[in-house]
Amino acid sequence: QVQLVESGGGLVQAGGSLSLSCAASGRTGVISVMGWFRQAPGKEREFVAAHGYTSSTKYYADSVKGRFTISRDNSKNTVYLQMISLKSEDTAIYYCAARMAWSIATDTHEYDYWGQGTQVTVSS
């Protein structure tokens, strides 16, 4: 079993920056891809970004491309999401997810483990 714990959420003004972290524990050796999803009130959970086991494989949703950066430190079993130029539309609960398969995926059902989520609120 794998446990994922997000941190770093909070309140930030539009145009500002915020960094999220997700630490994995347990059977971390089974994890390949790590990613971030978000869910706004009344909406379905949507893909944000994913990171393969190495830094050469990254993928972003069009809505965040150029503003968000995903990074990973395998020695710490941690994935990060650096967010800049935040918009009110970015307000959501952000979830960390992990996938055992090696290929990048963007659908929620393709991920095997989930964190509890951390709230990001962007004020206008």
Side-chain angles (χ1 to χ4, degrees), residues 70-107:
I70 188 169
S71 59
R72 183 170 177 172
D73 186 342
N74 290 329
S75 68
K76 299 179 180 178
N77 298 125
T78 301
V79 65
Y80 307 90
L81 188 67
Q82 306 285 332
M83 305 182 291
I84 66 171
S85 301
L86 284 162
K87 308 173 182 179
S88 60
E89 302 95 285
D90 296 317
T91 295
I93 299 175
Y94 283 70
Y95 295 90
C96 178
R99 171 172 159 85
M100 292 188 291
W102 286 93
S103 59
I104 293 290
T106 59
D107 292 334

Side-chain angles (χ1 to χ4, degrees), residues 15-58:
S17 302
L18 199 63
S19 296
L20 307 181
S21 299
C22 172
S25 61
R27 298 182 68 244
T28 57
V30 306
I31 295 173
S32 181
V33 175
M34 297 190 73
W36 291 93
F37 290 74
R38 66 186 183 186
Q39 187 167 20
K43 296 185 177 182
E44 295 184 353
R45 194 167 299 185
E46 66 175 358
F47 172 77
V48 175
H51 199 304
Y53 192 75
T54 64
S55 60
S56 63
T57 307
K58 301 177 182 179

